Amino acid sequence: MRVTPRRVLIATFGSLGDLHPYLALALALRDRGHLPAIATHASHRLKVEAEGVPFFAVRPDPAEWGQDPAAMRRAWRPIDGPRFLLNDIVLANLADSHADLDAAVQAHGAQLLLSHPMTFSIPMIAEARGVPWLSTVLAPGMLPSSQDPLALPFAPWLLDALGRVPAVGTRLVGATLRGLRRAARGWAQPLHAMRAELGLPATTRDLLVDGQFSALGTLALFSRTMASPRSDWPARVTITGFPFYDRPGDDPAVGGRFGAAQAEALEAFLSAGAPPIAFTLGSAAVLDARDFWLHAISATRAVGRRAVLLVGPGASQQLPAPLPSNIAAFEYAPHSLLFPRACAIVHQGGIGTTAQALRAGVPQLVVPFGFDQPDNARRMARLGVAHVLPRRRWDAARATLALERLFADRHAPWRAFELAAHVQAEDGAAAACDAIERALVAEVAAMPVEAGALAAIGAG
């Protein structure tokens, strides 16, 4: 399939787990001759521009509120955390983010837009400017389905329990999900107001859920090992596999510092003894770690293992000094350097960390904080590669017991090895590029002859 190169603007929102897949996709698109750019938080500029990818800053930036312990703690609350993030952070800054994204579309001369579930302005910009767009999701729980529903952060067990009710389980799940949608319907008022301000027609669609999915198609940027297609998913969903980006770099503002000195120290520690337990909270939950690392150290001692702690920017100053000789701490390390050489991976369940853990083929202990993490944790447990310990139950005694059970589980290492082969065989970035190019061909084919010819001529 030969596709005329296009200018593609990729919009995303969130942590490194929300950046890396799109950076992998941008590099793959560039290799095919397209002209990708990324529009996201200013704090991600260093990493994006280091790859030579054009960058556009979009408000709000988590750096403005992510260092506030009270705000981070509130964001991770299982019941009102999602509402706080959506209403007080994302939608409260909708006008600013819309202005930034619209300016980026014009400055880049974008001919195709890719949205993230939290970039609510992209569908409106696409509609207002007549630019085609594709939606994306990073985790299966982001696709609404009563057949395979999201594990709710405030009650991860609820929908599974309802689904097991004989004869009516799926209907009960569907009714519960519809009730939750109705309860949150008022949250979308700023989106309807923005449509009116832009002169776009009013709609009765659920803009928070249905409105984020493009009629042109949705890229599900996760592995088929995590979920299979469902008949009640949005139309035209393509499961691509994980697009991996995990290059060493020094980005002290986000994630933490990892330069040549840290790489040398990590290699020395890994080579000096048995495979360690790898502890990480990603680049978001790590900002609300509190006592996590102290309990990790105690549990490591209790099970008689070595450990590597990835503690985030500046957190090493809060650790005991000196650390035990069997434990090393770093602000950050590319997961592809550490995870395959670990005996177990203890993590928060963010989709980026989960993807790297699956690819590494190592058993996992997942300690989910919130958002999609309980759902990702549940899926890892279903696959037989992980045990789960809720964040509220994390302490030295329970962490020790959970690790002992994980190490006693003879099935988990074999299942992890088996699934890693499937994940490693998927080329998520290439599959996503294929889907994008198929969508571009379909979009041009659907145009009137004159418009299609002009689009093909003007695409460069």
Side-chain angles (χ1 to χ4, degrees):
M1 177 174 56
R2 188 171 181 273
V3 178
T4 304
R6 298 298 178 96
R7 292 181 173 271
V8 181
L9 183 74
I10 304 170
T12 185
F13 178 102
S15 65
L16 291 181
D18 298 279
L19 173 68
H20 285 176
Y22 299 103
L23 192 46
L25 181 53
L27 296 177
L29 285 168
R30 187 174 68 185
D31 288 345
R32 295 192 181 198
H34 299 285
L35 299 169
I38 290 179
T40 189
H41 314 304
S43 52
H44 289 322
R45 179 186 296 273
L46 179 64
K47 188 175 284 285
V48 174
E49 291 187 340
E51 294 292 352
V53 175
F55 176 86
F56 297 93
V58 179
R59 293 167 287 178
D61 193 325
E64 299 172 1
W65 58 273
Q67 303 304 320
D68 178 359
M72 287 306 303
R73 196 161 298 181
R74 186 177 177 190
W76 289 113
R77 289 177 185 170
I79 294 179
D80 66 342
R83 179 173 183 169
F84 166 70
L85 180 65
L86 184 65
N87 287 347
D88 293 17
I89 303 299
V90 179
L91 296 181
N93 292 279
L94 182 63
D96 288 340
S97 61
H98 182 91
D100 293 342
L101 284 168
D102 193 44
V105 169
Q106 296 179 72
H108 190 58
Q111 298 160 306
L112 176 69
L113 310 180
L114 266 63
S115 70
H116 174 280
M118 298 293 277
T119 56
F120 294 106
S121 287
I122 289 296
M124 291 186 279
I125 293 170
E127 185 176 352
R129 296 198 172 276
V131 180
W133 70 288
L134 285 167
S135 44
T136 71
V137 296
L138 294 172
M142 297 177 185
L143 291 165
S145 171
S146 60
Q147 300 169 15
D148 186 17
L150 173 76
L152 303 173
F154 56 87
W157 48 267
L158 177 60
L159 296 181
D160 273 347
L162 292 176
R164 289 193 293 268
V165 176
V168 295
T170 301
R171 279 182 285 170
L172 281 175
V173 170
T176 302
L177 292 174
R178 288 191 294 274
L180 291 172
R181 279 202 192 195
R182 285 194 296 271
R185 201 166 184 85
W187 300 2
Q189 191 279 331
L191 299 177
H192 290 283
M194 176 66 75
R195 288 185 62 84
E197 184 179 332
L198 295 173
L200 298 175
T203 178
T204 59
R205 295 185 74 197
D206 182 347
L207 294 180
L208 288 179
V209 182
D210 301 328
Q212 67 171 280
F213 295 107
S214 169
L216 191 57
T218 297
L219 306 181
L221 303 175
F222 54 78
S223 171
R224 283 183 173 269
T225 62
M226 290 194 72
S228 56
R230 303 290 175 166
S231 61
D232 61 347
W233 275 2
R236 299 185 180 88
V237 173
T238 301
I239 301 176
T240 66
F242 296 116
F244 285 107
Y245 174 93
D246 195 38
R247 300 182 186 178
D250 191 1
D251 189 1
V254 181
R257 186 176 298 280
F258 190 80
Q262 288 79 16
E264 183 178 344
L266 176 61
E267 176 58 36
F269 182 83
L270 293 174
S271 300
I277 306 169
F279 289 89
T280 179
L281 293 178
S283 60
V286 73
L287 300 175
D288 188 35
R290 285 176 275 172
D291 57 1
F292 185 89
W293 306 115
L294 296 179
H295 294 317
I297 292 170
S298 296
T300 298
R301 284 172 164 167
V303 298
R305 300 275 181 158
R306 299 185 340 130
V308 173
L309 316 178
L310 303 183
V311 298
S316 57
Q317 301 171 4
Q318 303 170 18
L319 299 177
L323 282 172
S325 61
N326 64 326
I327 297 177
F330 299 86
E331 289 189 355
Y332 176 80
H335 293 164
S336 59
L337 295 183
L338 172 60
F339 285 4
R341 299 173 68 177
C343 63
I345 302 165
V346 181
H347 65 94
Q348 83 291 1
I351 191 60
T353 310
T354 300
Q356 291 285 358
L358 271 176
R359 182 167 69 158
V362 176
Q364 308 167 36
L365 174 60
V366 189
V367 187
F369 279 50
F371 302 110
D372 65 322
Q373 295 173 5
D375 189 69
N376 297 330
R378 179 191 61 167
R379 291 175 190 274
M380 293 303 98
R382 282 179 176 176
L383 290 172
V385 301
H387 292 204
V388 179
L389 180 63
R391 173 65 178 96
R392 69 181 183 279
R393 295 178 59 82
W394 177 261
D395 60 29
R398 293 189 181 99
T400 298
L401 182 59
L403 285 169
E404 288 174 343
R405 288 174 173 169
L406 182 64
F407 290 130
D409 185 343
R410 297 183 179 181
H411 177 69
W414 288 105
R415 186 63 175 146
F417 177 81
E418 181 182 32
L419 288 176
H422 290 282
V423 173
Q424 292 166 11
E426 296 172 334
D427 189 339
C433 287
D434 290 342
I436 289 169
E437 292 181 339
R438 286 195 299 271
L440 286 170
V441 169
E443 180 74 7
V444 171
M447 293 179 183
V449 173
E450 296 83 358
L454 289 174
I457 294 169

